[in-house]
Amino acid sequence: MQFKNFTCLLICMMSLWACNQAQDNKTKSQDGSATDERTFLALDGDTLEPVEKSEEEWKAELTEQEFRVLREAGTERAFTGEYWDNKKQGVYTCAGCGLPLFSAETKFRSGTGWPSFWEPIRADHVWLKDDSSLGMMRTEVLCARCGGHQGHVFEDGPEPTGLRYCINSVSLDFVEGAKMKAEKP
Ligand code: FE
């Protein structure tokens, strides 16, 4: 009996989760259009709203290479980026919108020629998406705030996660000496 109750509870919880996922964190505003209620955290603990811009707007504010990587999922050549060998302490933010994405404390030497991290600074600051391009199944890593392409995550990283977030330098800015502050009360 107890097992049956537990199974029912589990099914209810999974249904609720699926329902929330289906809503994609978007609710309807009064005029019926979808509004995005997700929020993110700045380095200083301030709340950040999602960023949505047109292709023209992105083109106007990004360099050609940033646009190719961030908005068209391009990849910089290995060992050419600014941060693959950066050993300084600080926080890496999205080059598109400034959202904190990775801490230097989780950066490791992968030998790939791209900045590599074993976890993001906050799980909800990255958006993981199936990617079947180039004839293989990979998991794409995007900035959850602006949708900017960052790189891919692989399951051959070091402990404690065993993950390798392989990120383009051009998708990142680096704030030397910065630390992520906790959420404002
Ligand atoms: Fe971003």
Side-chain angles (χ1 to χ4, degrees), residues 44-45 47 182-185:
D44 62 4
T47 299
E183 229 158 319
K184 279 187 178 170

Side-chain angles (χ1 to χ4, degrees), residues 23-124:
Q23 284 184 353
D24 195 23
N25 296 317
K26 289 184 180 179
T27 55
K28 297 274 185 190
S29 64
Q30 281 183 335
D31 66 0
S33 61
T35 56
D36 193 337
E37 293 191 340
R38 294 170 305 153
T39 55
F40 305 95
L41 271 190
L43 277 173
D44 62 4
D46 271 350
T47 299
L48 297 170
E49 305 293 327
V51 169
E52 268 190 62
K53 288 180 183 172
S54 67
E55 190 175 322
E56 286 69 33
E57 287 173 309
W58 283 120
K59 256 187 187 155
E61 69 178 62
L62 299 175
T63 66
E64 209 170 297
Q65 199 195 13
E66 283 171 347
F67 185 84
R68 190 179 60 80
V69 176
L70 282 164
R71 307 312 308 178
E72 298 182 322
T75 303
E76 72 194 12
R77 276 194 301 125
F79 301 102
T80 64
E82 200 177 343
Y83 302 126
W84 70 271
D85 200 26
N86 182 24
K87 297 180 181 74
K88 292 173 182 163
Q89 285 304 309
V91 171
Y92 294 86
T93 58
C94 173
C97 72
L99 186 70
L101 294 180
F102 297 97
S103 166
E105 290 172 8
T106 65
K107 192 171 189 283
F108 67 96
R109 179 187 282 268
S110 65
T112 59
W114 289 286
S116 303
F117 307 88
W118 46 262
E119 77 177 1
I121 203 158
R122 285 175 61 95
D124 60 353

Side-chain angles (χ1 to χ4, degrees), residues 5-22:
N5 287 343
F6 176 73
T7 307
C8 282
L9 182 67
L10 197 64
I11 289 170
C12 282
M13 285 171 71
M14 285 175 74
S15 302
L16 272 172
W17 179 82
C19 192
N20 283 335
Q21 291 294 307

